[in-house]
Structure formats: structure tokens, C-alpha cells
Amino acid sequence: MVGLSEGEKEFIKGGIAQDLRSDGRKRYTYRPIYVETGVIPQANGSARVRLGATDVIASVKAELGKPSALQPDKGKVALFIDCSPTAEPTFEGRGGEELSAELSSALQRCLLGSKSGAGAGIDLSSLIVVEGKVCWDLYIDGLVISSDGNLLDALGAAIKAALSNTGIPTVHVVAGASNDEQPEVDISDEEFLHFDTSGVPVIVTLTKVGKHYIVDATSEEESQMSSAVSISINRQGHICGMTKRGGSGIDPSVILDMISVANFVSRQLIEKLDSEISAAEANEEDS
């Protein structure tokens, strides 16, 4: 919990109203973002993202499984976020558990769309090996190391970077199995397919402080918010998901304006993230 005096609260709100935040940024400007890839050797893909003093890690583990009967033409993705108690004292005990569940649920909506798969930013059909019989199951884990606000955007960026770093082994189906039998598969130790992240969105969270919305809010700014809306947008400008937190309601007439702002900001964020991921993967290959 951020403890601020009345003077500090007014300073934060006044700065946002004048489009000059306490750290010198404008309302729609992100803090510097840094990306490392391949930080967990045991995973199929992993990445670390630092957004100001917010520091998170995401890892991807791929295992062969069986598609669900309701979606035989799609693989499966499971998302879990862990908020380390060392990141924030309030993460101790139930506080951390509740935030972990909230972040996991929000990321699920933003990256995977509805339960039917509509609007999914991750193409689940690309995870199919044999329709109705064999698929890849992706287990995505996120860890919050240090928290200074805007965790959802940082975790979304880390997951996108980890998926870009993910190599899925090539699978050869052994011929001869009948339609009723579970086919035998041969998993290659040498051939890998890189996960296509072209449709994976970034998440832009607009946080309302006073009468204005800001992006990439710090913990101090979040302590003064009335509400926040997170919108996931892909490279084509399509909305993949949306989630809201905070008790204050939002006028429907404002939603379109927020989407327009998120669309504009997302283009800059995607460009910066692409550049950071490319540089990180180049460094990983050189090391």
C-alpha cells in the first residue's frame, strides 16, 4: 500500500491534469522498457521485462496433450501468475493470492479472448498436431519480481516476448494408427518451430486519475485512481480483449475515445517491444 500525504496526492493529480507527471512523462508516455530473453534455460521460451521499477518474468513450457472434445481443432493454453512477497509487502498471504488470481484472469481475457476462443490473440489452432487426438499444451507462468505499477501491461509484454522466444519441437506422426487409436508420435530433439507471435497483442492499461486517463501508471499514481481499463490490441489494430478494475463506472461515450487512445499508444508500444525483443534475441545468440 502506498502511503501519501495530502500534498503528495494533490501534486500527482495536479501534474496529470497539466500533462506533466511527477516523473516528467506526459499522460500517454510509457517508462523505458527493457527485455531479456532465454532467462530460464529449462523452459521452451522465457523473457524478463522491466518497465521502470516494475520487473517481471514469463516462461512457456510446451507439453503434448489431447484436445478437448468441445474444441478438437485447438490446442490449450494455461496461464498462472505468481506475485512474489519480496516484490511488495502486501503480496504476503491472501493479498498476493488474490492479486495473482486477478492478474491471471485479466491476462486470460486479454490474450485468449472468450471461452469459445473468439478474439484470441494466441492462435490455438496452430497448436494442433492431429485434430481431435494430439495437440500442444502451453503452460505460461509469470512471476512478479518487483512492483511499481502497471503489472498487467508488463506481464503482457513479457508473455509476448517469451512466446517469441519459444521453440516447439517438430512432431512426426507415425503412420499406421487407425482412426480410433491414439497415434504414435516422434518428437524431434533437433528441429524446432518458432511460435508465431504476429497475432499476439500488447496490453495498454488506461488509468483514470481525476478527470484524465494515463498509461503506464506507477504505484503512487495507481493509489489515486478511480478506475482502470486494460485493452489488448494486436499489430493489425484489432481488439483482442478488454478488462476493467476499480469501483468507478465509465460513461459508454468515453469507451470509444479510450479505444482510440489505446490503439494509438499500442502502435508505439509494439514498435518498441519488437525492437527490444530483436536486440535481446541477438544478444542471446551472441552469448
Side-chain angles (χ1 to χ4, degrees), residues 69-151:
L70 294 175
Q71 294 182 316
D73 59 341
K74 291 182 171 66
K76 302 191 291 292
V77 175
L79 260 165
F80 177 75
I81 305 301
D82 182 27
C83 296
S84 170
T86 58
E88 175 72 41
T90 55
F91 291 173
E92 291 276 5
R94 286 190 59 82
E97 291 175 10
E98 289 173 0
L99 181 59
S100 294
E102 180 184 324
L103 288 169
S104 299
S105 177
L107 285 163
Q108 190 92 12
R109 287 194 293 274
C110 286
L111 297 177
L112 299 177
S114 64
K115 289 183 179 180
S116 67
I122 298 175
D123 182 12
L124 300 182
S125 61
S126 68
L127 300 175
I128 281 293
V129 178
V130 179
E131 185 170 332
K133 296 183 181 297
V134 184
C135 70
W136 283 107
D137 293 339
L138 295 187
Y139 297 92
I140 300 175
D141 290 289
L143 174 65
V144 177
I145 302 171
S146 176
S147 174
D148 186 27
N150 203 23
L151 287 175

Side-chain angles (χ1 to χ4, degrees), residues 38-225:
V39 294
I40 303 176
Q42 301 90 339
N44 291 85
S46 59
R48 180 177 186 173
V49 166
R50 282 172 290 164
L51 194 57
T54 292
D55 193 353
V56 299
I57 289 177
S59 67
V60 181
K61 191 72 177 171
E63 294 181 3
L64 282 178
K66 186 175 182 179
S68 69
L70 294 175
Q71 294 182 316
D73 59 341
K74 291 182 171 66
K76 302 191 291 292
V77 175
L79 260 165
F80 177 75
I81 305 301
D82 182 27
C83 296
S84 170
T86 58
E88 175 72 41
T90 55
F91 291 173
E92 291 276 5
R94 286 190 59 82
E97 291 175 10
E98 289 173 0
L99 181 59
S100 294
E102 180 184 324
L103 288 169
S104 299
S105 177
L107 285 163
Q108 190 92 12
R109 287 194 293 274
C110 286
L111 297 177
L112 299 177
S114 64
K115 289 183 179 180
S116 67
I122 298 175
D123 182 12
L124 300 182
S125 61
S126 68
L127 300 175
I128 281 293
V129 178
V130 179
E131 185 170 332
K133 296 183 181 297
V134 184
C135 70
W136 283 107
D137 293 339
L138 295 187
Y139 297 92
I140 300 175
D141 290 289
L143 174 65
V144 177
I145 302 171
S146 176
S147 174
D148 186 27
N150 203 23
L151 287 175
L152 197 60
D153 294 20
L155 285 164
I159 290 170
K160 184 177 175 70
L163 287 169
S164 178
N165 183 245
T166 296
I168 297 178
T170 301
V171 177
H172 300 284
V173 180
V174 179
S178 69
N179 290 335
D180 296 330
E181 293 177 340
Q182 191 70 7
E184 289 186 34
V185 294
D186 180 24
I187 303 174
S188 174
D189 293 327
E190 299 177 352
E191 297 178 20
F192 292 86
L193 297 172
H194 273 282
F195 193 83
D196 180 12
T197 59
S198 60
V200 178
V202 293
I203 299 172
V204 175
T205 298
L206 293 164
T207 303
K208 189 176 184 183
V209 179
K211 295 181 179 179
H212 301 278
Y213 288 95
I214 57 173
V215 301
D216 189 24
T218 64
S219 292
E220 288 187 348
E221 290 170 333
E222 286 182 343
S223 73
Q224 301 308 301
M225 77 172 199

